[in-house]
Amino acid sequence: MTEMVFGAIPVQSGDPVLPRWWRTVDKWTLSCVIILFGIGMLLGLAASPPLAAKNGFEPFHYVQRQALFGSIAMVVLVVTSMMSPTLVRRLATLGFLAAFIALAGLPFLGTDFGKGAVRWYSLGFASVQPSEFLKPGFIVVAAWFMAASQEIGGPPGKSYSLILTAVIVLMLAMQPDFGQSALILFGWGVMYFVAGAPMLILVALAGVVTFGGTVAYSNSEHFARRIDGFLNPDVDPTTQLGYATNAIREGGFFGVGVGEGQVKWSLPDAHTDFIIAVAAEEYGLICVLAIIGLYATVVVRSLMRLMKERDPFIRLAGCGLACIVGVQAMINMGVAVRLLPAKGMTLPFVSYGGSSVIASAIAVGMLLAFTRTRPQGQIGDILLRRGR
């Protein structure tokens, strides 16, 4: 609580790891993440029993699994946040390569679980979604490329990052997974903008994305169906969007009461993609605003701390990680209220899913590692180091 009131305490050399980590880590962001996971467990108690009964499991089968996944995720988050930026970059690069290979193998070894998109590997006891683990690694690798391009005599890192982004987006679109494709593009665009990209290039890239969306609409039945459903003014009450919209409307300001919601009996994805509808129905708008506030705190706090950072790699990677976490939450909630087309994207730390919660923990753990209080040195020293 000391940092929350008086600000960060200067780092003392020679301190043990845990005390030094506790003094330098952003406790506001860490607290918000823990609260979000707690809210997810609470909502899981309401949303998952109907699905468990349908699949022949004990009422709280999915809650117990999420508690296991969440425990692993919290350990991963804390351990990752203790790492130095250099170690984070090295491990993120290895993780990105592994996730990229796994993503490339999906057309041959993956499964769609009857949802029409091949995004998972089935391990029998669990499933793994490579794209979830690809995102944080991609952000770090792309930031490394862009930071290297700013050095005197450095490689054309921005061009390399653009080529890498295009390859990943095409691979995700082939699944098809246009939601993750959009998130990858957005994360890269944020870092490219922060790195000092000319507005003309960003406008040109926006035009390319628009053209790509038009091509996808003309050639992908999956994509066209979701866009048509979004543009249709009449919502079919028997669809997932119809159930979610009605649940949010019924919840009102204070909700219908704990355990009194009905949408969880109709929505097959009530515990994952549409868990915000359960929150809105049972706990009302107040709960939804609290969840939005927690995500906003994570993003704003991280960006404020990164504004003081002079290392271009840390600044770029931190901005990218903060923005993809916030935008993923915004997309998930935007779909539920029909502000965006259906994307099939989880709510970080709140939705059920091992891949989602562990990958989100990796991303926020990296973010906490990048935003820890550390001596910045003089700007002249940094420029001198680049010129060597």
Side-chain angles (χ1 to χ4, degrees):
M1 291 298 292
T2 305
E3 181 198 354
M4 296 181 180
V5 179
F6 299 106
I9 301 174
V11 181
Q12 300 176 8
S13 60
D15 285 345
V17 174
L18 281 176
R20 185 168 68 248
W21 169 78
W22 182 245
R23 276 198 300 271
T24 58
V25 76
D26 184 0
K27 300 176 185 63
W28 281 99
T29 296
L30 183 62
S31 300
C32 288
V33 169
I34 294 173
I35 294 171
L36 282 168
F37 179 69
I39 291 174
M41 292 299 298
L42 179 64
L43 295 176
L45 290 171
S48 62
L51 181 65
K54 178 181 177 182
N55 292 335
F57 297 124
E58 296 181 357
F60 298 115
H61 170 79
Y62 292 105
V63 177
Q64 294 169 357
R65 286 174 62 88
Q66 185 68 355
L68 174 61
F69 294 143
S71 300
I72 297 172
M74 292 301 109
V75 172
V76 169
L77 185 149
V78 171
V79 170
T80 305
S81 68
M82 291 181 177
M83 298 177 183
S84 66
T86 301
L87 181 57
V88 169
R89 183 178 63 192
R90 291 171 179 170
L91 294 180
T93 301
L94 295 176
F96 168 75
L97 291 174
F100 185 85
I101 294 171
L103 187 70
L106 277 176
F108 311 102
L109 302 173
T111 181
D112 63 355
F113 290 110
K115 296 186 178 182
V118 182
R119 303 175 184 174
W120 299 271
Y121 286 106
S122 177
L123 305 180
F125 60 92
S127 60
V128 177
Q129 187 175 356
S131 61
E132 291 284 357
F133 297 95
L134 182 80
K135 288 181 296 188
F138 163 77
I139 292 294
V140 172
V141 170
W144 188 13
F145 282 150
M146 292 185 189
S149 70
Q150 297 180 5
E151 297 179 359
I152 298 175
K158 292 181 180 178
S159 299
Y160 292 162
S161 68
L162 176 59
I163 294 171
L164 182 63
T165 303
V167 171
I168 292 173
V169 167
L170 286 174
M171 292 171 67
L172 289 171
M174 290 172 60
Q175 293 183 1
D177 191 347
F178 296 102
Q180 298 287 6
S181 300
L183 201 56
I184 289 288
L185 275 174
F186 178 83
W188 179 85
V190 166
M191 292 188 296
Y192 198 60
F193 176 78
V194 173
M199 288 301 298
L200 183 61
I201 293 180
L202 292 175
V203 171
L205 289 173
V208 172
V209 172
T210 303
F211 175 76
T214 304
V215 172
Y217 180 83
S218 303
N219 295 276
S220 172
E221 181 182 351
H222 176 84
F223 185 77
R225 185 170 60 251
R226 295 201 168 188
I227 295 297
D228 291 340
F230 171 70
L231 296 176
N232 189 349
D234 299 322
V235 182
D236 186 349
T238 61
T239 62
Q240 293 200 89
L241 281 176
Y243 289 128
T245 303
N246 183 66
I248 294 170
R249 186 186 306 113
E250 292 292 329
F253 199 76
F254 297 104
V256 298
V258 180
E260 299 298 323
Q262 298 301 313
V263 70
K264 57 195 176 186
W265 297 99
S266 307
L267 270 174
D269 293 329
H271 63 316
T272 54
D273 299 350
F274 289 93
I275 197 165
I276 196 68
V278 177
E281 185 181 30
E282 298 200 358
Y283 298 95
L285 180 63
I286 291 179
C287 179
V288 176
L289 291 177
I291 292 173
I292 293 173
L294 290 168
Y295 285 116
T297 301
V298 171
V299 175
V300 173
R301 282 282 304 182
S302 299
L303 294 179
M304 288 178 63
R305 291 171 75 95
L306 288 165
M307 287 175 64
K308 305 174 185 177
E309 180 60 56
R310 288 178 175 172
D311 187 302
F313 163 70
I314 295 176
R315 190 168 60 248
L316 292 172
C319 287
L321 290 168
C323 289
I324 63 168
V325 170
V327 170
Q328 180 169 337
M330 185 181 71
I331 290 174
N332 176 277
M333 291 183 278
V335 168
V337 297
R338 290 204 73 205
L339 289 176
L340 294 169
K343 290 285 192 299
M345 195 173 289
T346 58
L347 191 59
F349 297 107
V350 178
S351 295
Y352 170 84
S355 294
S356 174
V357 71
I358 295 175
S360 297
I362 293 173
V364 176
M366 292 177 178
L367 181 60
L368 287 171
F370 291 142
T371 57
R372 284 173 61 187
T373 305
R374 60 178 63 86
Q376 295 297 321
Q378 298 297 321
I379 188 67
D381 297 336
I382 298 174
L383 294 175
L384 182 61
R385 187 168 65 248
R386 285 197 203 170
R388 291 176 181 172

